[in-house]
Coordinates of all heavy atoms in Angstrom, one line a residue:
C28 N -5.9 21.1 21.4 CA -5.1 20.0 21.7 C -5.3 18.9 20.6 O -6.5 18.7 20.3 CB -5.3 19.5 23.1 SG -4.6 18.0 23.5
F29 N -4.3 18.2 20.2 CA -4.5 17.1 19.3 C -3.4 16.1 19.7 O -2.3 16.4 19.8 CB -4.2 17.5 17.8 CG -4.6 16.5 16.8 CD1 -5.8 16.7 16.1 CD2 -3.9 15.4 16.6 CE1 -6.2 15.8 15.1 CE2 -4.3 14.5 15.6 CZ -5.4 14.7 14.9
A30 N -3.9 14.9 20.0 CA -2.9 13.9 20.6 C -2.7 12.7 19.6 O -3.7 12.3 18.9 CB -3.5 13.3 21.9
F31 N -1.5 12.2 19.6 CA -1.2 11.0 18.9 C -0.7 10.0 20.0 O 0.1 10.3 20.8 CB 0.0 11.2 17.9 CG -0.3 12.1 16.7 CD1 -0.3 13.5 16.9 CD2 -0.6 11.5 15.5 CE1 -0.5 14.3 15.8 CE2 -0.9 12.3 14.5 CZ -0.8 13.8 14.6
M32 N -1.3 8.8 20.0 CA -0.9 7.7 20.9 C -0.5 6.5 20.1 O -1.3 6.1 19.1 CB -2.0 7.4 21.9 CG -2.3 8.5 22.8 SD -3.4 8.0 24.2 CE -4.9 7.8 23.4
S33 N 0.6 5.9 20.4 CA 1.0 4.7 19.7 C 1.4 3.6 20.6 O 1.8 3.8 21.8 CB 2.2 5.1 18.7 OG 3.3 5.4 19.5
N34 N 1.2 2.4 20.1 CA 1.6 1.2 20.8 C 2.5 0.4 19.8 O 2.1 -0.4 19.0 CB 0.4 0.3 21.2 CG 0.8 -0.9 21.9 OD1 2.0 -1.1 22.3 ND2 -0.2 -1.7 22.2
V35 N 3.8 0.7 19.9 CA 4.7 0.1 18.9 C 5.8 -0.8 19.6 O 6.2 -0.5 20.7 CB 5.5 1.3 18.2 CG1 6.4 0.8 17.1 CG2 4.5 2.3 17.6
G36 N 6.2 -1.8 18.9 CA 7.2 -2.7 19.4 C 6.7 -3.8 20.4 O 7.5 -4.3 21.1
T37 N 5.5 -4.0 20.3 CA 4.9 -5.1 21.2 C 3.8 -5.8 20.5 O 3.3 -5.3 19.5 CB 4.3 -4.5 22.5 OG1 3.7 -5.5 23.3 CG2 3.2 -3.4 22.2
T38 N 3.6 -7.1 20.9 CA 2.5 -7.9 20.3 C 1.2 -7.8 21.0 O 0.2 -8.4 20.7 CB 3.0 -9.3 20.1 OG1 3.4 -9.8 21.4 CG2 4.2 -9.4 19.2
D39 N 1.2 -7.1 22.2 CA 0.1 -7.0 23.0 C -0.6 -5.7 23.0 O 0.1 -4.6 22.8 CB 0.5 -7.3 24.5 CG 1.1 -8.7 24.6 OD1 0.6 -9.6 24.0 OD2 2.1 -8.8 25.4
A40 N -1.9 -5.6 23.1 CA -2.6 -4.4 23.3 C -2.3 -3.7 24.6 O -1.8 -4.4 25.5 CB -4.1 -4.7 23.2
A41 N -2.5 -2.4 24.7 CA -2.2 -1.7 25.9 C -3.4 -0.8 26.2 O -4.1 -0.3 25.4 CB -1.0 -0.8 25.7
N42 N -3.6 -0.6 27.5 CA -4.6 0.4 28.0 C -3.7 1.6 28.6 O -2.8 1.4 29.4 CB -5.4 -0.2 29.1 CG -6.4 -1.2 28.5 OD1 -7.0 -1.0 27.5 ND2 -6.5 -2.4 29.1
V43 N -4.1 2.8 28.1 CA -3.3 4.0 28.5 C -4.3 5.0 29.1 O -5.4 5.1 28.6 CB -2.7 4.6 27.2 CG1 -2.0 5.9 27.6 CG2 -1.7 3.6 26.6
T44 N -3.9 5.6 30.2 CA -4.7 6.7 30.7 C -4.1 8.1 30.3 O -2.9 8.3 30.5 CB -4.7 6.7 32.3 OG1 -5.2 5.4 32.7 CG2 -5.5 7.7 32.9
F45 N -4.9 8.9 29.7 CA -4.4 10.2 29.2 C -5.5 11.2 29.5 O -6.7 11.0 29.2 CB -4.2 10.1 27.7 CG -3.8 11.4 27.0 CD1 -2.6 12.0 27.3 CD2 -4.8 12.0 26.2 CE1 -2.3 13.2 26.7 CE2 -4.4 13.2 25.6 CZ -3.2 13.8 25.8
N46 N -5.2 12.3 30.2 CA -6.1 13.3 30.6 C -7.3 12.8 31.4 O -8.4 13.2 31.2 CB -6.7 14.1 29.4 CG -5.7 15.2 28.9 OD1 -4.7 15.5 29.6 ND2 -6.0 15.7 27.7
G47 N -7.0 11.8 32.2 CA -8.0 11.2 33.1 C -8.9 10.2 32.4 O -9.8 9.7 33.0
Q48 N -8.7 9.9 31.1 CA -9.5 8.9 30.4 C -8.7 7.7 30.0 O -7.5 7.9 29.7 CB -10.2 9.5 29.2 CG -11.3 10.5 29.5 CD -11.9 11.0 28.2 OE1 -11.3 11.1 27.2 NE2 -13.2 11.2 28.3
S49 N -9.3 6.6 30.0 CA -8.6 5.4 29.7 C -8.8 5.1 28.2 O -9.9 5.2 27.6 CB -9.1 4.2 30.5 OG -8.4 3.0 30.1
Y50 N -7.8 4.6 27.4 CA -7.8 4.3 26.0 C -7.2 3.0 25.8 O -6.2 2.6 26.4 CB -7.1 5.4 25.2 CG -7.7 6.8 25.3 CD1 -7.2 7.7 26.2 CD2 -8.7 7.2 24.5 CE1 -7.7 9.0 26.4 CE2 -9.2 8.5 24.6 CZ -8.7 9.3 25.6 OH -9.3 10.6 25.7
H51 N -7.8 2.2 24.8 CA -7.3 1.0 24.4 C -6.5 1.1 23.2 O -7.0 1.6 22.2 CB -8.5 0.0 24.2 CG -8.1 -1.4 23.7 ND1 -7.5 -2.3 24.5 CD2 -8.1 -1.9 22.5 CE1 -7.2 -3.4 23.8 NE2 -7.6 -3.2 22.5
L52 N -5.2 0.7 23.2 CA -4.4 0.7 22.0 C -4.0 -0.6 21.5 O -3.2 -1.3 22.2 CB -3.1 1.6 22.3 CG -3.3 3.0 22.7 CD1 -1.9 3.6 23.2 CD2 -3.9 3.8 21.6
P53 N -4.5 -1.1 20.4 CA -4.2 -2.4 19.8 C -2.7 -2.4 19.6 O -2.0 -1.3 19.3 CB -4.9 -2.5 18.6 CG -6.1 -1.6 18.8 CD -5.6 -0.4 19.6
A54 N -2.0 -3.6 19.5 CA -0.7 -3.7 19.2 C -0.4 -3.1 17.8 O -1.2 -3.2 16.9 CB -0.2 -5.1 19.2
W55 N 0.8 -2.5 17.7 CA 1.3 -1.9 16.4 C 0.2 -0.9 15.8 O -0.1 -1.1 14.7 CB 1.7 -3.0 15.4 CG 3.0 -3.6 15.8 CD1 3.1 -4.8 16.4 CD2 4.3 -3.1 15.7 NE1 4.4 -5.1 16.6 CE2 5.2 -4.0 16.2 CE3 4.8 -1.9 15.2 CZ2 6.6 -3.8 16.3 CZ3 6.2 -1.7 15.2 CH2 7.0 -2.6 15.8
S56 N -0.2 0.0 16.6 CA -1.2 0.9 16.1 C -1.0 2.3 16.5 O -0.2 2.6 17.5 CB -2.6 0.5 16.5 OG -2.8 0.7 17.9
V57 N -1.6 3.3 15.9 CA -1.5 4.7 16.2 C -2.9 5.2 16.3 O -3.7 4.9 15.4 CB -0.7 5.5 15.2 CG1 -0.8 7.0 15.5 CG2 0.7 5.0 15.1
S58 N -3.2 5.9 17.4 CA -4.6 6.5 17.5 C -4.4 8.0 17.5 O -3.5 8.6 18.0 CB -5.2 6.1 18.9 OG -5.5 4.8 18.9
L59 N -5.4 8.6 16.8 CA -5.4 10.1 16.6 C -6.7 10.6 17.5 O -7.7 10.1 17.3 CB -5.6 10.5 15.2 CG -4.6 9.9 14.2 CD1 -4.9 10.4 12.8 CD2 -3.2 10.3 14.6
L60 N -6.4 11.6 18.3 CA -7.4 12.2 19.2 C -7.5 13.7 18.9 O -6.9 14.5 19.6 CB -7.1 11.9 20.6 CG -7.3 10.5 21.1 CD1 -6.0 9.7 20.8 CD2 -7.5 10.5 22.6
P61 N -8.3 14.1 18.0 CA -8.5 15.6 17.8 C -9.3 16.1 19.1 O -10.2 15.5 19.5 CB -9.3 15.7 16.6 CG -9.9 14.4 16.3 CD -9.1 13.4 17.0
G62 N -8.9 17.2 19.6 CA -9.5 17.6 20.8 C -9.1 16.9 22.1 O -9.6 17.2 23.2
C63 N -8.2 15.9 22.0 CA -7.6 15.2 23.1 C -8.6 14.5 23.9 O -8.4 14.3 25.1 CB -6.8 16.1 24.0 SG -5.2 16.7 23.1
A64 N -9.7 14.1 23.3 CA -10.8 13.4 24.1 C -11.2 12.1 23.5 O -11.2 11.0 24.1 CB -12.0 14.3 24.3
T65 N -11.6 12.1 22.2 CA -12.2 10.9 21.6 C -11.3 10.4 20.4 O -10.8 11.3 19.7 CB -13.6 11.3 21.0 OG1 -14.4 11.8 22.0 CG2 -14.3 10.1 20.4
V66 N -11.1 9.1 20.4 CA -10.3 8.6 19.3 C -11.1 8.7 18.0 O -12.2 8.1 17.8 CB -10.0 7.0 19.6 CG1 -9.2 6.5 18.4 CG2 -9.2 6.9 20.8
A67 N -10.6 9.4 17.0 CA -11.2 9.6 15.7 C -10.7 8.6 14.7 O -11.4 8.3 13.8 CB -11.0 11.0 15.3
F68 N -9.5 8.1 14.9 CA -8.9 7.2 14.0 C -7.9 6.3 14.6 O -7.1 6.8 15.5 CB -8.2 8.1 12.8 CG -7.6 7.3 11.8 CD1 -8.3 6.8 10.7 CD2 -6.2 7.0 11.8 CE1 -7.7 6.0 9.8 CE2 -5.6 6.3 10.8 CZ -6.4 5.8 9.8
N69 N -7.9 5.0 14.3 CA -6.9 4.1 14.8 C -6.5 3.2 13.6 O -7.3 2.7 12.9 CB -7.4 3.2 15.9 CG -6.4 2.3 16.5 OD1 -6.1 1.3 15.9 ND2 -5.7 2.7 17.6
T70 N -5.1 3.1 13.4 CA -4.6 2.4 12.3 C -4.9 0.9 12.3 O -4.9 0.3 11.3 CB -3.1 2.6 12.1 OG1 -2.5 2.2 13.4 CG2 -2.8 4.1 11.9
A71 N -5.2 0.4 13.5 CA -5.5 -1.1 13.6 C -6.9 -1.4 13.1 O -7.2 -2.5 12.8 CB -5.3 -1.6 15.0
Q72 N -7.7 -0.4 12.9 CA -9.1 -0.6 12.5 C -9.3 -0.4 11.0 O -10.4 -0.5 10.5 CB -10.0 0.4 13.2 CG -10.0 0.2 14.7 CD -10.8 1.3 15.4 OE1 -11.1 2.4 14.9 NE2 -11.1 1.0 16.7
I73 N -8.2 -0.3 10.3 CA -8.3 -0.1 8.8 C -8.2 -1.5 8.2 O -7.3 -2.3 8.5 CB -7.0 0.7 8.3 CG1 -7.1 2.1 8.9 CG2 -7.1 0.7 6.8 CD1 -5.9 3.0 8.5
G74 N -9.1 -1.8 7.3 CA -9.1 -3.0 6.5 C -8.8 -2.6 5.1 O -9.4 -1.7 4.6
S75 N -7.9 -3.3 4.5 CA -7.6 -3.0 3.1 C -7.5 -4.3 2.3 O -7.2 -5.4 2.8 CB -6.3 -2.3 3.0 OG -5.2 -3.1 3.5
Q76 N -8.0 -4.1 1.1 CA -8.0 -5.2 0.1 C -6.8 -5.1 -0.8 O -6.4 -4.0 -1.2 CB -9.2 -5.2 -0.7 CG -9.4 -6.3 -1.7 CD -10.7 -6.2 -2.5 OE1 -11.5 -5.5 -2.1 NE2 -10.8 -7.1 -3.5
Y77 N -6.1 -6.2 -1.0 CA -5.0 -6.1 -1.9 C -4.9 -7.4 -2.8 O -5.5 -8.3 -2.4 CB -3.7 -5.9 -1.2 CG -3.2 -7.1 -0.4 CD1 -2.4 -8.1 -0.9 CD2 -3.7 -7.2 0.9 CE1 -2.1 -9.2 -0.1 CE2 -3.3 -8.4 1.6 CZ -2.5 -9.3 1.1 OH -2.1 -10.4 1.8
S78 N -4.3 -7.3 -3.9 CA -4.1 -8.5 -4.7 C -2.7 -8.4 -5.3 O -2.2 -7.3 -5.6 CB -5.2 -8.5 -5.8 OG -5.1 -7.4 -6.7
L79 N -2.2 -9.5 -5.6 CA -0.8 -9.6 -6.2 C -1.0 -10.1 -7.6 O -1.6 -11.2 -7.8 CB 0.1 -10.6 -5.4 CG 0.4 -10.2 -3.9 CD1 1.1 -11.3 -3.2 CD2 1.1 -8.9 -3.9
P80 N -0.5 -9.4 -8.6 CA -0.6 -9.8 -9.9 C 0.2 -11.0 -10.1 O 1.3 -11.2 -9.6 CB -0.1 -8.6 -10.8 CG 0.7 -7.8 -9.8 CD 0.2 -8.1 -8.5
T81 N -0.3 -11.9 -11.0 CA 0.5 -13.1 -11.4 C 0.9 -13.0 -12.8 O 0.0 -12.8 -13.7 CB -0.4 -14.4 -11.2 OG1 -0.9 -14.4 -9.9 CG2 0.4 -15.6 -11.5
M82 N 2.2 -13.1 -13.1 CA 2.7 -13.0 -14.5 C 2.8 -14.4 -15.0 O 3.4 -15.3 -14.4 CB 4.0 -12.3 -14.4 CG 4.0 -10.9 -13.8 SD 2.9 -9.8 -14.6 CE 3.8 -9.3 -16.0
R83 N 2.1 -14.7 -16.1 CA 2.1 -16.0 -16.7 C 2.5 -15.8 -18.2 O 2.1 -14.9 -18.9 CB 0.8 -16.6 -16.7 CG 0.4 -17.0 -15.2 CD -0.9 -17.7 -15.2 NE -1.9 -16.7 -15.4 CZ -3.2 -16.9 -15.4 NH1 -3.6 -18.1 -15.2 NH2 -4.1 -16.0 -15.6
R84 N 3.3 -16.8 -18.7 CA 3.7 -16.7 -20.1 C 2.5 -17.4 -20.8 O 2.0 -18.5 -20.4 CB 5.0 -17.5 -20.3 CG 5.5 -17.5 -21.6 CD 6.9 -18.1 -21.7 NE 7.6 -17.8 -22.9 CZ 8.3 -16.8 -23.0 NH1 8.5 -15.9 -22.0 NH2 8.9 -16.5 -24.1
R85 N 2.1 -16.9 -21.9 CA 1.0 -17.4 -22.7 C 1.5 -17.8 -24.1 O 2.4 -17.1 -24.6 CB -0.1 -16.4 -22.8 CG -0.8 -16.1 -21.5 CD -2.0 -15.2 -21.7 NE -2.6 -14.9 -20.4 CZ -3.8 -14.9 -20.2 NH1 -4.7 -15.1 -21.2 NH2 -4.4 -14.6 -19.0
D86 N 0.8 -18.7 -24.7 CA 1.1 -19.1 -26.0 C 0.7 -18.0 -27.0 O -0.5 -17.6 -27.0 CB 0.3 -20.4 -26.4 CG 0.6 -20.9 -27.8 OD1 1.7 -20.7 -28.2 OD2 -0.3 -21.4 -28.4
A87 N 1.6 -17.5 -27.8 CA 1.3 -16.3 -28.7 C 0.2 -16.6 -29.7 O -0.6 -15.8 -30.0 CB 2.6 -15.9 -29.3
D88 N 0.2 -17.8 -30.2 CA -0.8 -18.1 -31.2 C -2.2 -18.2 -30.6 O -3.2 -17.8 -31.2 CB -0.5 -19.6 -31.8 CG 0.8 -19.5 -32.7 OD1 1.1 -18.4 -33.2 OD2 1.4 -20.6 -32.8
A89 N -2.3 -18.8 -29.3 CA -3.6 -18.8 -28.6 C -4.1 -17.4 -28.3 O -5.3 -17.0 -28.5 CB -3.5 -19.6 -27.4
V90 N -3.2 -16.5 -27.9 CA -3.6 -15.1 -27.7 C -4.0 -14.4 -28.9 O -5.0 -13.7 -29.0 CB -2.4 -14.3 -27.0 CG1 -2.7 -12.8 -26.9 CG2 -2.1 -14.9 -25.7
A91 N -3.3 -14.6 -30.0 CA -3.7 -14.0 -31.3 C -5.0 -14.5 -31.8 O -5.8 -13.7 -32.3 CB -2.6 -14.3 -32.4
A92 N -5.3 -15.8 -31.6 CA -6.6 -16.3 -32.0 C -7.7 -15.7 -31.2 O -8.8 -15.4 -31.8 CB -6.6 -17.9 -31.8
R93 N -7.5 -15.5 -29.9 CA -8.6 -14.8 -29.1 C -8.7 -13.4 -29.5 O -9.8 -12.7 -29.2 CB -8.2 -14.9 -27.6 CG -8.5 -16.3 -27.0 CD -8.5 -16.2 -25.5 NE -7.2 -15.7 -25.0 CZ -6.2 -16.5 -24.7 NH1 -6.2 -17.8 -24.9 NH2 -5.1 -16.0 -24.1
R94 N -7.8 -12.7 -30.1 CA -7.9 -11.3 -30.5 C -8.2 -11.2 -32.0 O -7.9 -10.1 -32.6 CB -6.6 -10.6 -30.2 CG -6.3 -10.6 -28.7 CD -5.0 -9.8 -28.4 NE -4.8 -9.9 -27.0 CZ -4.0 -9.0 -26.4 NH1 -3.4 -8.1 -27.1 NH2 -3.8 -9.1 -25.1
G95 N -8.8 -12.2 -32.6 CA -9.2 -12.1 -34.0 C -8.0 -12.1 -34.9 O -8.1 -11.5 -36.0
G96 N -6.9 -12.8 -34.5 CA -5.7 -12.9 -35.4 C -4.8 -11.8 -35.2 O -3.7 -11.7 -35.9
Q97 N -5.1 -10.8 -34.4 CA -4.2 -9.6 -34.1 C -3.1 -10.1 -33.2 O -3.3 -10.6 -32.1 CB -5.0 -8.5 -33.5 CG -4.3 -7.3 -33.3 CD -5.1 -6.2 -32.6 OE1 -6.1 -6.5 -32.0 NE2 -4.7 -5.0 -32.8
V98 N -1.9 -10.0 -33.7 CA -0.7 -10.4 -32.9 C -0.1 -9.2 -32.2 O 0.1 -8.1 -32.8 CB 0.3 -11.0 -33.8 CG1 1.6 -11.4 -33.0 CG2 -0.2 -12.2 -34.6
V99 N 0.1 -9.4 -30.9 CA 0.8 -8.4 -30.1 C 2.2 -8.9 -29.8 O 2.4 -9.9 -29.4 CB 0.0 -8.2 -28.7 CG1 0.8 -7.1 -27.9 CG2 -1.4 -7.8 -29.0
G100 N 3.1 -8.0 -30.1 CA 4.5 -8.4 -30.0 C 5.3 -7.6 -29.0 O 4.8 -6.6 -28.4
W101 N 6.5 -7.9 -29.0 CA 7.5 -7.1 -28.1 C 8.8 -7.1 -28.7 O 9.1 -7.9 -29.6 CB 7.5 -7.8 -26.6 CG 8.1 -9.2 -26.7 CD1 7.4 -10.3 -26.9 CD2 9.4 -9.5 -26.5 NE1 8.3 -11.4 -26.8 CE2 9.5 -10.9 -26.5 CE3 10.6 -8.8 -26.2 CZ2 10.7 -11.6 -26.4 CZ3 11.8 -9.5 -26.0 CH2 11.8 -10.8 -26.2
A102 N 9.6 -6.1 -28.3 CA 11.0 -6.0 -28.8 C 11.9 -5.6 -27.6 O 11.5 -4.8 -26.8 CB 11.0 -4.9 -29.9
P103 N 13.0 -6.2 -27.5 CA 13.9 -5.8 -26.4 C 14.4 -4.4 -26.6 O 14.7 -4.0 -27.8 CB 15.0 -6.9 -26.5 CG 15.0 -7.4 -27.9 CD 13.6 -7.3 -28.4
E104 N 14.6 -3.7 -25.6 CA 15.2 -2.4 -25.6 C 16.4 -2.3 -24.7 O 16.5 -2.9 -23.7 CB 14.2 -1.3 -25.1 CG 13.0 -1.2 -26.0 CD 12.1 -0.1 -25.6 OE1 12.6 0.8 -24.8 OE2 11.0 0.0 -26.1
P105 N 17.4 -1.6 -25.2 CA 18.7 -1.5 -24.4 C 18.4 -0.7 -23.1 O 17.7 0.2 -23.1 CB 19.7 -0.9 -25.3 CG 18.8 -0.1 -26.3 CD 17.6 -0.9 -26.5
I106 N 19.1 -1.1 -22.1 CA 19.0 -0.4 -20.8 C 20.2 0.5 -20.7 O 21.3 0.1 -21.0 CB 19.0 -1.4 -19.7 CG1 17.7 -2.3 -19.8 CG2 19.0 -0.6 -18.3 CD1 17.7 -3.4 -18.7
G107 N 20.0 1.7 -20.3 CA 21.1 2.6 -20.1 C 20.7 4.1 -20.4 O 19.5 4.4 -20.6
V108 N 21.6 4.9 -20.6 CA 21.4 6.3 -20.8 C 21.2 6.6 -22.3 O 22.0 6.1 -23.1 CB 22.5 7.2 -20.3 CG1 22.3 8.7 -20.6 CG2 22.7 7.0 -18.8
V109 N 20.1 7.2 -22.7 CA 19.9 7.6 -24.1 C 20.7 8.8 -24.4 O 20.7 9.8 -23.7 CB 18.4 7.8 -24.3 CG1 18.1 8.2 -25.7 CG2 17.6 6.6 -23.9
P110 N 21.4 8.8 -25.6 CA 22.1 10.0 -25.9 C 21.2 11.2 -26.1 O 20.1 11.0 -26.6 CB 22.8 9.6 -27.2 CG 22.2 8.3 -27.7 CD 21.5 7.7 -26.6
A111 N 21.7 12.3 -25.8 CA 20.9 13.5 -25.9 C 20.5 13.9 -27.4 O 21.3 13.6 -28.3 CB 21.7 14.8 -25.3
A112 N 19.4 14.3 -27.6 CA 18.9 14.7 -28.9 C 19.7 16.0 -29.4 O 20.1 16.8 -28.6 CB 17.4 15.0 -28.9
P113 N 20.0 16.0 -30.7 CA 20.7 17.2 -31.2 C 19.8 18.5 -31.0 O 18.6 18.4 -31.1 CB 20.9 16.9 -32.7 CG 20.0 15.8 -33.0 CD 19.7 15.1 -31.8
T114 N 20.5 19.5 -30.7 CA 19.8 20.8 -30.5 C 19.8 21.6 -31.8 O 20.7 21.5 -32.6 CB 20.5 21.6 -29.4 OG1 21.8 21.8 -29.7 CG2 20.4 21.0 -28.0
V115 N 18.7 22.3 -32.0 CA 18.6 23.2 -33.1 C 19.0 24.6 -32.8 O 18.5 25.2 -31.8 CB 17.1 23.2 -33.7 CG1 17.0 24.0 -34.9 CG2 16.7 21.7 -34.0
S116 N 19.9 25.2 -33.6 CA 20.3 26.5 -33.3 C 19.6 27.5 -34.2 O 19.3 27.3 -35.3 CB 21.8 26.8 -33.6 OG 22.6 25.7 -33.4

């Protein structure tokens, strides 16, 4: 037996009785019970670290000076379908 229990669509935690045992389900979570007895995993107990990159425009001369005079450039590229390369017969 392998059980999945979920508490979706509510902002409150829930207590559920399953196979004669009581389980606590945090709001918006899924619990996995291998062997249908003990909670082995609950999605509400996962902590994750994330960061959002910040795009900033920099002065090209200042960047070049920090890189020992090496200038990094860019060139616009057209957006669309690239024509197929010729085939060799």
Side-chain angles (χ1 to χ4, degrees):
C28 173
F29 194 103
F31 293 83
M32 292 191 288
S33 66
N34 182 5
V35 183
T37 179
T38 57
D39 299 322
N42 290 314
V43 176
T44 302
F45 176 70
N46 278 349
Q48 290 186 325
S49 180
Y50 297 95
H51 176 77
L52 296 175
W55 287 101
S56 71
V57 175
S58 292
L59 306 179
L60 290 81
C63 293
T65 305
V66 175
F68 181 79
N69 181 279
T70 58
Q72 297 172 346
I73 298 173
S75 64
Q76 180 179 351
Y77 68 92
S78 61
L79 298 174
T81 303
M82 305 302 279
R83 293 182 283 183
R84 188 172 194 85
R85 295 185 180 219
D86 179 36
D88 293 333
V90 172
R93 284 196 300 274
R94 296 182 182 201
Q97 185 181 21
V98 177
V99 177
W101 64 275
E104 293 186 16
I106 298 174
V108 178
V109 178
T114 56
V115 178
S116 331

